[in-house]
Amino acid sequence: MPASPSTARAINDRLALRLLQREGPLTANQLKQLTGLSRPSVADLVERLQGSGLIAVVGEAGAQRRGPNARLYGIVADRAHLAALDVRTGGVSVVVTDLLGAVLAEASAPIGGGTGPAVDRAVALVERTARDGGVQRLHTVAIGAPGLVDPATGELRDTTSLPAWHRGLAGALQERLPARVLVENETNLAARAEQRDGAAHDRDTFVLLWLGEGVGAAVVLDGTLRRGASGGTGEIGFLPVPGTHVLPSATGCEGGFHSLACAAALRDLGAEHGLAAGLDAADMVRRAVGSGQGAFLDAAADRVAVGAAAMAAILDPGCVVLGGEVGRAGGDALATRVADRLSVMSPLHTEVRASVLGGAAVLRGALLRARDAAQDELFGPGG
């Protein structure tokens, strides 16, 4: 059935806004060419979007083209303000941006203590960062955190392995701020960022293998992030693997792939190969790459390849991105070694790439999540 006039107008408005987001400021004539709409339809569209406060005149296309069609229209970036959070075991990083993603303020702070005081400190950090950016009201807040996010409620599931204040943070932000608050698993957000801006920018299907203090995986199939029935897709730390002498349990991943490839395990492995003690895992891997410590990188690749091979055997993604701080630190040196081992362990061709974004991918992914959600609301009918 043909769309109603109001639906057609909403579709055209959304198309124009997406073009302005992607291309930057455009003239009415450029909008006409890019949308294929008639001149009167574009004139009506521009009037509607200006009236709603979503676009404004931001300049002129050039002195040689005077008149209405020479005006440049752009999205009003301060129509909404966003916050993205990367929540780790011991601290929080926050970035506050405008609707187009321009950074207005950012901050990080350690968070510890009891649940109530820790939540209060984290909320205060968000509020202070917003004030530092000149923002009085946040429209959307996206939180990236370790652990399972219940797909039915959008909340972090209770787990004994993570601080209790993680679960209380979203609710406290929702109470204190007149903003929409979203929660997503940190590895899933990292995959979103790597697909949009990083190592998987040309892939619709891939697996991100997160290598940091913990290990995890995010699965993107045909352009869609897969969460699973309970939000647990990619909990590869619990994968039983050879070489750990014990099986993981429902309450802990000790003995699973986590025990082979988490940061603590790689630090111990580095010590066995004579690397300096006191370094974190990413610095240890980075130093090994720089100094040509091939034996340590070979041993690390042996471990990482076990998890990568499991994901390849089940999903056949064609591409595995080694993410997190360790994945980026290992770069091509680690990725190439893992790919070599996969080619021996599996008949399925699987490209292995190093993360472009590393640990910063979580915060970048949270920002993309907040921006997409805010734009979906504002750019939609009645926004």
Side-chain angles (χ1 to χ4, degrees), residues 13-14 17 46 84 138-139 141 163 168 241 247 262 273 275 281 330 332 373:
D13 290 355
R14 193 177 181 89
L17 288 163
V46 167
L138 290 168
H139 181 281
V141 178
V241 294
L247 290 174
C262 72
H273 284 80
L275 293 175
D332 290 339

Side-chain angles (χ1 to χ4, degrees), residues 5 30 70 81 94 202 211 226 235 267 289 311 329 333 337-338:
Q30 289 170 324
H81 294 101
V94 183
D202 59 342
L211 303 172
R226 305 295 180 175
E235 286 294 315
R267 285 194 296 269
V289 171
M311 302 303 288
R337 285 173 165 83
V338 174

Side-chain angles (χ1 to χ4, degrees), residues 119 133 170 195 278 280:
V119 168
Q195 186 176 34
D280 65 29

